[in-house]
Amino acid sequence: MTTQHWIAGYRAPLVNPAEVIKLAEPRAFDDETVRQVVRVAGSGSRLRVLLTNRYGSEELAIGTARIAVRKTGGEIVPETEQQVLFEGATSVRIPAGGDVVSDPIEFAVTAGTELALSLYLPEPALPAFAQFPVETSWISTGDRTGDAAPSDAEEVAARYLLTGIDVAVDAGAPVLVAFGDSWFEGFGSTHGANRRSVDVLDARLATGWAVNQGIGGNRLLTDEIGEHGLARFERDVLSVPGVAAVWTNFGINDLILAGTATAEALIAGFTELAARVHAAGLPVYANTIGPFGGAIYPGLGVAEGIPVRRAVNEWLRATDVFDAVFDVAAAVENPADRDFIRPDLDSGDGMHLNDAGARAMAETVDLTVLPAVFR
């Protein structure tokens, strides 16, 4: 008899709606259904859904949940729809500060399958959310989880409650966890097109797959936006089932968001992160810090951060604390001014990459240095 393993097929790190620093406004729910799209990175014969109330101060009620193959937009393929159960029940109350995992669902998927998860929230709730998932969710009044297509729905570019989907496999599959900020989450790439740097790298892997634990605005050393990288490392990296390697991208937000970290502090943070990954018996790969000199947003410490970026990148290019360092900065910098993104790779805001830039970023990853299980 074959023993199946649960492996992370999809991940979606969320932030606390009560944070002071916000890139997007959180949303309250009451007697509403949210339908959100999930693209699983790997194949499996069964699914389980992970939901959270980790930042809530009160219980969060899920009245019902359904999952189906997405047809287009918010429309599903009706014959694929299944009820999501929690210990045999169609509803569940997630305790304040808690998480819940659904019962296994007999639902075979292949890599790239797009699913639509519909959650009915019957009571007032202000859930954890992803501010820039580069994907659409649909919100409707009442329990609309069984609708084939949303009607009179509010379309929002955010994600709520959902932290992941696991897939059941007969043999362990290796997962590369992309752990970092918006350059992983994908801000600047084409909305709904799955052209993030992590998507591109995932397509390059011969075996296994990559899951995305990037949070736009996230910092390695300081909370907001999201828990800082060293604080969420255990949950968002080591607790990911199947993790076999870690790819990190941090630094920009530590340098320009609400103050500028020193080079010494950032180097110490990178060194601690590498040591913690290695202590878990895993390899870890880092990116150099990309350019942000053309950032158009007010209030950022661009001038203060630029010399620190240069110093930290010089250290990254020479250090051996990581198993390898990929020079993303060199790949996307403007040769005429290396503190700026190359114009053809710039999303238009001076600090995020477009689709071509995301591809260039992913292509800096030398597949030959990854564990053999990915090649």
Side-chain angles (χ1 to χ4, degrees), residues 232-255:
R232 66 185 182 97
F233 167 76
E234 182 80 25
R235 181 188 66 231
D236 289 350
V237 176
L238 295 190
S239 296
V240 174
V243 57
V246 183
W247 180 32
T248 69
N249 190 92
F250 283 104
I252 289 180
N253 300 303
D254 292 89
L255 298 180

Side-chain angles (χ1 to χ4, degrees), residues 4-305:
Q4 288 199 313
H5 306 267
W6 287 110
I7 303 294
Y10 170 82
R11 281 299 181 270
L14 306 181
V15 303
N16 187 341
E19 287 186 349
V20 174
I21 301 176
K22 294 181 174 68
L23 300 179
E25 288 299 316
R27 190 190 191 284
F29 289 79
D30 187 6
D31 183 31
E32 290 172 299
T33 296
V34 56
R35 175 170 290 176
Q36 37 205 343
V37 174
V38 174
R39 182 179 183 269
V40 293
S43 302
S45 59
R46 295 182 297 161
L47 303 177
R48 63 181 185 184
V49 176
L50 287 65
L51 304 175
T52 192
N53 186 27
R54 67 173 58 114
Y55 303 119
S57 58
E58 300 178 354
E59 280 189 333
L60 191 152
I62 304 295
T64 190
R66 298 177 186 274
I67 195 165
V69 173
R70 192 262 284 261
K71 184 176 181 180
T72 185
E75 185 178 359
I76 64 169
V77 179
E79 58 268 27
T80 67
E81 184 189 59
Q82 291 199 47
Q83 184 89 48
V84 180
L85 301 178
F86 304 89
E87 295 185 352
T90 58
S91 63
V92 66
R93 303 186 73 86
I94 311 175
D99 301 286
V100 69
V101 180
S102 77
D103 298 348
I105 308 162
E106 296 297 327
F107 200 126
V109 293
T110 57
T113 298
E114 292 190 337
L115 304 172
L117 175 69
S118 301
L119 303 170
Y120 172 52
L121 283 68
E123 301 174 7
L126 184 65
F129 72 124
Q131 302 180 81
F132 292 116
V134 202
E135 188 55 85
T136 301
S137 295
W138 291 263
I139 301 172
S140 307
T141 301
D143 182 356
R144 308 291 287 275
T145 56
D147 289 4
S151 58
D152 301 321
E154 174 190 358
E155 294 189 12
V156 296
R159 182 172 287 116
Y160 306 91
L161 291 108
L162 175 67
T163 58
I165 289 183
D166 292 340
V167 297
V169 299
D170 291 333
V175 173
L176 184 147
V177 176
F179 181 55
D181 55 27
S182 59
W183 283 40
F184 280 161
E185 188 177 32
F187 186 81
S189 64
T190 300
H191 187 88
N194 298 304
R195 294 175 184 167
R196 308 165 190 87
S197 60
V198 181
D199 299 321
V200 177
L201 178 62
D202 180 58
R204 295 182 63 210
L205 299 176
T207 60
W209 54 83
V211 297
N212 195 333
Q213 294 281 40
I215 297 176
N218 197 224
R219 293 182 278 184
L220 179 64
L221 305 177
T222 309
D223 285 347
E224 298 195 22
I225 296 160
E227 297 169 59
H228 65 279
L230 294 174
R232 66 185 182 97
F233 167 76
E234 182 80 25
R235 181 188 66 231
D236 289 350
V237 176
L238 295 190
S239 296
V240 174
V243 57
V246 183
W247 180 32
T248 69
N249 190 92
F250 283 104
I252 289 180
N253 300 303
D254 292 89
L255 298 180
I256 66 175
L257 181 65
T260 299
T262 65
E264 293 77 14
L266 202 46
I267 288 168
F270 279 130
T271 302
E272 180 181 347
L273 177 62
R276 290 169 66 178
V277 179
H278 287 148
L282 299 170
V284 56
Y285 311 96
N287 294 336
T288 51
I289 302 172
F292 48 79
I296 63 174
Y297 307 108
L300 299 178
V302 173
E304 298 84 356

